[in-house]
Amino acid sequence: MQLEAQLRLCQSCLWCCKSGLRLLFQSSVHRAAFNHYDLLGVKPDATLEQIKNAFFDKSKKMHPDSDPSNPGLHGQFVELNEAYRVLSKEVSRREYDLRLRHPYTGGQAFRPTSTYNPRAEAQESMRYWDQFKHSQPQETTAEEWERKRKRNFRIVSYCMLIMGLSISTHVLFFRKLESIHNNFMDEKDRVITQIYKESKERARVNGFKKQTEILRQKHADFLEKYKITRNSGEDK
């Protein structure tokens, strides 16, 4: 009798362990399957803009029209719309975050306090994407054409004005530079001409022989000075 009681106790312990592991596994699977953040591929602290961008990116890939041969896309698209609908509203997202932090019992997916129709949501999303496929270019009225024409005319006028100012500035700058260069060259020619006239006048006054002696003396002084400078450089 004592052995039989011990066996029953062991069986009860094993059953409790198996039940606990099964519940833990189901809970983890349930949370992973219904985690809207993972479904959208964003972090729990993501902003509304990040959630919106993630939804648009994934909805393009999971849209049923993207692969008609895959019937499972419809269910994934419905779940994606549900995740975006819950996380895009502040109240429902707050309730969902509270449920994630404090998991509840039961096998049903999260539903906010507001009513929700998955089929209507999926149809609305389909209509949203269909409007881009079948959208036609809007006709432009005469007033819009006139407004665009005036705007383009103003833009072209501003560009032409800027180009005219730029060209005028460059022309004035180069003219001023040319004037400075011409003045410099004229002054240089005047100095050279004056030196030439003074030299010519001295040669006429001194005579040819005396002027030749003066030039030879200056040349000798120059050679002497150059010789002294060269010798001092070699000594160093």
Side-chain angles (χ1 to χ4, degrees), residues 47-223:
T47 62
L48 180 59
E49 189 67 23
Q50 293 174 344
I51 292 174
K52 186 183 298 184
N53 293 334
F55 168 71
F56 286 140
D57 291 340
K58 286 188 173 292
S59 60
K60 294 177 183 178
K61 300 176 182 178
M62 295 184 180
H63 197 279
D65 293 342
S66 63
D67 188 7
S69 62
N70 188 359
L73 287 179
H74 178 73
Q76 297 177 7
F77 188 73
V78 171
E79 292 178 359
L80 186 68
N81 278 273
E82 164 68 5
Y84 176 69
R85 192 190 67 84
V86 172
L87 299 181
S88 61
K89 299 177 182 178
E90 184 178 358
V91 177
S92 58
R93 183 178 180 180
R94 192 184 305 116
E95 294 179 3
Y96 182 74
D97 292 340
L98 182 62
R99 296 290 180 88
L100 284 181
R101 288 193 295 268
H102 306 285
Y104 57 92
T105 57
Q108 296 180 355
F110 169 78
R111 287 291 182 272
T113 54
S114 58
T115 58
Y116 168 67
N117 188 351
R119 187 177 296 276
E121 187 74 18
Q123 292 177 355
E124 182 180 355
S125 180
M126 290 181 182
R127 287 196 299 271
Y128 172 79
W129 290 107
D130 288 340
Q131 69 181 350
F132 295 101
K133 296 180 179 179
H134 307 290
S135 61
Q136 299 294 333
Q138 298 180 355
E139 296 182 357
T140 306
T141 61
E143 295 180 357
E144 293 179 352
W145 275 112
E146 185 66 20
R147 186 165 57 253
K148 290 181 179 180
R149 188 186 68 81
K150 291 182 178 180
R151 184 187 61 184
N152 294 336
F153 179 76
R154 285 197 299 270
I155 293 174
V156 173
S157 300
Y158 293 151
C159 293
M160 296 296 292
L161 179 61
I162 293 172
M163 290 175 61
L165 292 174
S166 177
I167 293 173
S168 301
T169 304
H170 281 79
V171 170
L172 292 175
F173 173 76
F174 283 112
R175 283 186 177 179
K176 184 65 175 178
L177 185 63
E178 183 181 7
S179 176
I180 294 173
H181 176 72
N182 292 335
N183 293 334
F184 173 77
M185 296 302 295
D186 292 342
E187 181 66 18
K188 184 178 179 180
D189 292 341
R190 187 188 65 81
V191 172
I192 293 174
T193 303
Q194 184 178 0
I195 293 174
Y196 172 75
K197 289 181 178 180
E198 291 177 354
S199 300
K200 186 177 180 180
E201 182 66 21
R202 285 197 301 269
R204 187 182 66 80
V205 173
N206 296 330
F208 179 75
K209 291 183 178 181
K210 189 175 181 180
Q211 188 66 23
T212 303
E213 292 177 359
I214 293 173
L215 293 175
R216 285 178 178 176
Q217 184 63 34
K218 289 184 177 181
H219 182 66
D221 294 340
F222 173 78
L223 291 177

Side-chain angles (χ1 to χ4, degrees), residues 14-71:
L14 291 174
W15 182 83
C16 290
C17 292
K18 290 181 179 180
S19 299
L21 291 174
R22 184 167 57 253
L23 290 174
L24 180 62
F25 175 75
Q26 290 177 354
S27 176
S28 63
V29 171
H30 176 269
R31 291 186 65 186
F34 291 96
N35 191 333
H36 296 334
Y37 293 105
D38 293 341
L39 185 60
L40 289 172
V42 297
K43 297 181 180 180
D45 58 348
T47 62
L48 180 59
E49 189 67 23
Q50 293 174 344
I51 292 174
K52 186 183 298 184
N53 293 334
F55 168 71
F56 286 140
D57 291 340
K58 286 188 173 292
S59 60
K60 294 177 183 178
K61 300 176 182 178
M62 295 184 180
H63 197 279
D65 293 342
S66 63
D67 188 7
S69 62
N70 188 359

Side-chain angles (χ1 to χ4, degrees), residues 221-233:
D221 294 340
F222 173 78
L223 291 177
E224 185 67 21
K225 182 179 179 181
Y226 176 72
K227 183 178 179 181
I228 295 173
T229 305
R230 186 176 61 178
N231 292 334
S232 62

